[in-house]
Amino acid sequence: MINKTVSNAEEAIKDIPSGAVLMIGGFGLSGIPENCIAALLKKDINGLTCISNNAGVDDFGIGLMLKKSMVKKMISSYVGENAEFERQLLSGELEVELIPQGTLAERVRAGGAGIPAFFTPAGVGTEVAEGKEVREFDGKLYLMERWLKADFALVKAWKGDTAGNLIYKGTARNFNPMMAAAGKITIAEVEELVPAGELDPNQIHTPGIYVQRIFQGKNYEKRIEHRTIREKR
Amino acid sequence: MLNKNQIAQRIAKEVKKGQYINLGIGIPTLVANYIPDNLDVVLQSENGLLGIGPFPTEDQIDPDLINAGKQTITMVKGSSLFSSAESFGMIRGGHVHLTILGAMEVSENGDIANWKIPAKMVKGMGGAMDLVASAENIIVAMQHCSKDGQSKLLKKCSLPITGIRCVKKIVSDLAVLEVLPEGGFKLLERAPGISVEEIRSKTEGRLVVEGEIPEMKFD
């Protein structure tokens, strides 16, 4: 098996240039590539396009990249938890393409699966439909949406092996599997990296073919946005 | 006038046995508290879970387990986990029976607006556009009027819309209304102590009133 291991986040992201198109996995702060984002923040690059469902919060995740003005354009579905994002958006500093969450997931999936366009009912009759082809199938209207691809996809998994096979945990899976497939270079950070052969092939979510670089992450904060609990009975 | 919990409690009466349901953020999330266990419904979270359980106790908290509102949650027995593409595949494919979500405005032909106030508030549509375009039944939880008394049940939405001709039923703080296929809000129930006249005066869109309109009952 090809060994795709790199030593750390800094090495994994070292050739990401200014102006690159990035996909960044995660939903809210769950399943985001914390180590890669921290390493990007130390680099002097800007003009990035980030494709990610959310934009982090003001002081964590992609929110930190926005604060450093590294991002030229965001492609997201929901940005509600981030005051800095909303400020940059309303002031026009940041270019933003807001797209329905399912359309975003499918556009990324299509990019990785070699499907240049598809039709979805989401957004018909709304401003999302402006400038897009609308076609009727069996009496219902659908919008044509195009695939999305990235120069680099940054994904986070629970476990991975040196061949790049990945297993996610809980709802931290979200956009990571599709993004892994849609990146020209996919960088996976994992909580536990094991030698090829130690993960059960029956349990692999992302086959290693999609992953070019993998490293064992460290110091995961896994910040919780809304800590909701109930009393023990 | 109903409070948020009473709106949720009333909506829970619409739930049928064995349904797969997606609950939106806010009041819709509260509906889960009022669905009887014996209905065996399964709650979907569009970030990749079927089988949302109650909030965790302090020692059960898992940062890798959140709902679409980014709240910590648990899983019920028989849950399954999947990617966002799979999740919206099951939504778009019509496998989710009921969607309950909030709205800023609904028009008399069933259009819904809930994602944007131009130049003021732009949070994004999240999964709402996918959900309203695909669910076979959509129930909206909303306030009947804005804080300054303007009706939110309109002839035509003034805000950018989320989906067209999709809302089937509305539970507001004042009433339960059905959106008629030919257009119009058919009044089904009144909130306790609220008159038909008050509902009429606070509904800008066409209100259809047939016969006696009962008051809502809460168990």
Side-chain angles (χ1 to χ4, degrees), chain A:
Chain A
M1 282 280 168
I2 311 163
N3 189 332
K4 297 176 177 175
T5 312
V6 294
S7 54
N8 55 36
E10 285 72 24
E11 193 195 331
I13 62 119
K14 66 172 189 251
D15 55 348
I16 295 183
S18 287
V21 176
L22 308 182
M23 285 182 182
I24 301 179
F27 179 95
L29 299 177
S30 166
I32 61 172
E34 293 185 19
N35 283 235
C36 281
I37 291 171
L40 279 173
L41 288 167
K42 286 189 248 163
K43 264 174 81 94
D44 187 25
I45 53 171
N46 54 44
L48 300 172
T49 295
C50 289
I51 302 167
S52 184
N53 187 57
N54 309 88
V57 293
D58 282 318
D59 59 348
F60 202 58
I62 298 173
L64 296 170
M65 295 168 64
L66 294 172
K67 252 186 193 154
K68 273 193 71 187
S69 298
M70 298 170 74
V71 183
K72 177 187 70 177
K73 182 176 182 183
M74 281 296 313
I75 299 177
S76 303
S77 90
Y78 189 81
V79 294
E81 326 294 333
N82 191 319
E84 177 64 16
F85 184 108
E86 204 162 335
R87 190 194 66 72
Q88 289 190 17
L89 168 60
L90 292 172
S91 73
E93 287 165 56
L94 181 69
E95 199 184 326
V96 178
E97 187 180 342
L98 286 170
I99 51 187
Q101 195 176 142
T103 298
L104 177 62
E106 193 62 15
R107 287 179 69 183
V108 176
R109 198 194 73 80
I115 295 174
F118 59 91
F119 286 88
T120 174
V124 169
T126 76
E127 63 184 60
V128 166
E130 285 167 18
K132 289 177 185 158
E133 182 182 339
V134 178
R135 206 186 286 181
E136 188 180 319
F137 294 94
D138 299 331
K140 190 171 166 173
L141 296 176
Y142 297 83
L143 288 187
M144 189 173 81
E145 295 281 0
R146 297 291 311 275
W147 61 8
L148 279 172
K149 297 182 186 196
D151 300 320
F152 294 85
L154 313 180
V155 303
K156 152 79 179 29
W158 180 38
K159 292 180 182 178
D161 68 18
T162 52
N165 295 304
L166 304 176
I167 296 174
Y168 308 95
K169 176 169 164 278
T171 51
R173 189 180 325 182
N174 54 63
F175 285 82
N176 284 298
M178 296 82 75
M179 288 185 173
K184 268 190 216 110
I185 294 176
T186 290
I187 300 166
E189 57 174 272
V190 297
E191 290 174 54
E192 190 186 347
L193 182 64
V194 300
E198 286 197 14
L199 298 178
D200 178 356
N202 287 300
Q203 306 298 325
I204 302 294
H205 297 131
T206 292
I209 188 169
Y210 299 124
V211 175
Q212 279 68 47
R213 301 169 192 170
I214 189 166
F215 66 94
Q216 160 110 41
K218 59 184 183 191
N219 303 326
Y220 281 103
E221 190 177 330
K222 293 197 183 183
R223 200 183 289 190
I224 292 170
E225 276 180 69
H226 301 293
R227 192 182 186 85
T228 42
I229 54 169
R230 71 193 153 100
E231 295 305 314
K232 220 172 187 170
R233 282 183 198 155

